[in-house]
Amino acid sequence: GENVEQHPSTLSVQEGDSAVIKCTYSDSASNYFPWYKQELGKGPQLIIDIRSNVGEKKDQRIAVTLNKTAKHFSLHITETQPEDSAVYFCAAGFITQGGSEKLVFGKGMKLTVNP
Amino acid sequence: KAGVTQTPRYLIKTRGQQVTLSCSPISGHRSVSWYQQTPGQGLQFLFEYFSETQRNKGNFPGRFSGRQFSNSRSEMNVSTLELGDSALYLCASSPKSYNSGANVLTFGAGSRLTVL
């Protein structure tokens, strides 16, 4: 089945620096790649997603890139702020044999932005 | 628009007991998925329900079960609790129609289960 690897597991940056989180997936049939942010005591919240027919997507300070050939995708956060501190999860979505879409998540990365 | 509501938020059980967790999806969302979140394993998929039918199931033992009602509300049950079942159980709803591929999940805040 699909397997999603996420690196690094923790990252600490200074406010204003950039942060990059990388994920790889195993199933070439995966076609949907969302990123979720989870703050302490809350559920994961979708921050950006990309589909396999697009190579890059931006939304203000965050951007996601997808390399289908290498089967990896990355989240880039520029000009980090303390409120960006959270756990970030990547996921890969694919169509099951039954015809429904299933998401497989990476194990998460804890980002700490130091003021 | 109300988000995904999960109850209870926190609960403590002892080994051997059973527990039922509840999830109310966003109004109009017909798909509900359940995930187990632990520090070492991240988010592990439990099952997904759509129109009261289980559509997908993860690799969990039969002690984990769920159901969905006609109003799309869902419950999951864990019987004969073990220490390793201690986790945050997350419910997510999606507006997708079956086979549409539009699987944008909105998560609830979760139910934190501690098994002693």
Side-chain angles (χ1 to χ4, degrees):
Chain A
E2 174 65 284
N3 183 51
V4 177
E5 299 283 342
Q6 187 169 350
H7 304 279
S9 57
T10 61
L11 179 63
S12 182
V13 299
Q14 290 300 120
E15 183 176 359
D17 288 350
S18 295
V20 180
I21 311 167
K22 299 180 180 180
C23 288
T24 60
Y25 61 98
S26 60
D27 190 340
S28 57
S30 290
N31 61 1
Y32 175 60
F33 306 92
W35 287 86
Y36 286 83
K37 174 184 179 182
Q38 186 175 27
E39 297 174 321
L40 200 60
K42 297 182 179 180
Q45 179 182 14
L46 178 71
I47 54 172
I48 194 168
D49 57 9
I50 191 169
R51 296 207 176 259
S52 59
N53 58 346
V54 176
E56 183 176 357
K57 185 177 179 181
K58 286 185 179 180
D59 183 3
Q60 298 181 3
R61 295 186 297 109
I62 60 173
V64 59
T65 59
L66 171 65
N67 183 326
K68 287 188 293 183
T69 303
K71 289 191 280 189
H72 65 71
F73 55 114
S74 302
L75 178 72
H76 304 251
I77 306 174
T78 58
E79 300 172 27
T80 53
Q81 301 167 3
E83 51 265 38
D84 294 330
S85 296
V87 178
Y88 291 81
F89 292 93
C90 62
F94 62 97
I95 305 296
T96 68
Q97 285 186 336
S100 65
E101 191 169 77
K102 183 177 175 180
L103 282 181
V104 176
F105 284 82
K107 293 190 176 178
M109 187 212 76
K110 183 177 181 180
L111 174 65
T112 302
V113 180
N114 301 302
Chain B
K1 196 174 187 181
V4 177
T5 303
Q6 291 189 246
T7 57
R9 288 293 312 279
Y10 303 92
L11 67 167
I12 299 174
K13 294 285 187 178
T14 57
R15 281 182 298 173
Q17 287 187 310
Q18 66 96 25
V19 66
T20 299
L21 309 177
S22 179
C23 172
S24 293
I26 290 173
S27 178
H29 285 195
R30 297 169 63 192
S31 171
V32 173
S33 300
W34 288 89
Y35 288 82
Q36 181 194 66
Q37 184 177 17
T38 56
Q41 296 300 316
L43 287 156
Q44 299 288 308
F45 175 74
L46 281 156
F47 24 66
E48 179 202 358
Y49 287 87
F50 181 84
S51 292
E52 302 177 66
T53 302
Q54 188 179 89
R55 301 292 183 176
N56 280 309
K57 190 178 189 306
N59 297 322
F60 279 82
R63 301 185 297 107
F64 292 80
S65 62
R67 58 178 176 168
Q68 186 180 33
F69 303 95
S70 59
N71 61 358
S72 294
R73 191 177 70 85
S74 178
E75 289 181 347
M76 67 162 283
N77 184 77
V78 188
S79 62
T80 320
L81 284 166
E82 301 177 359
L83 295 178
D85 296 333
S86 294
L88 180 67
Y89 290 87
L90 291 161
C91 166
S93 73
S94 167
K96 76 171 186 179
S97 298
Y98 192 59
N99 278 334
S100 74
N103 196 11
V104 178
L105 298 180
T106 301
F107 283 88
S111 293
R112 171 80 57 187
L113 170 65
T114 301
V115 182
L116 303 176

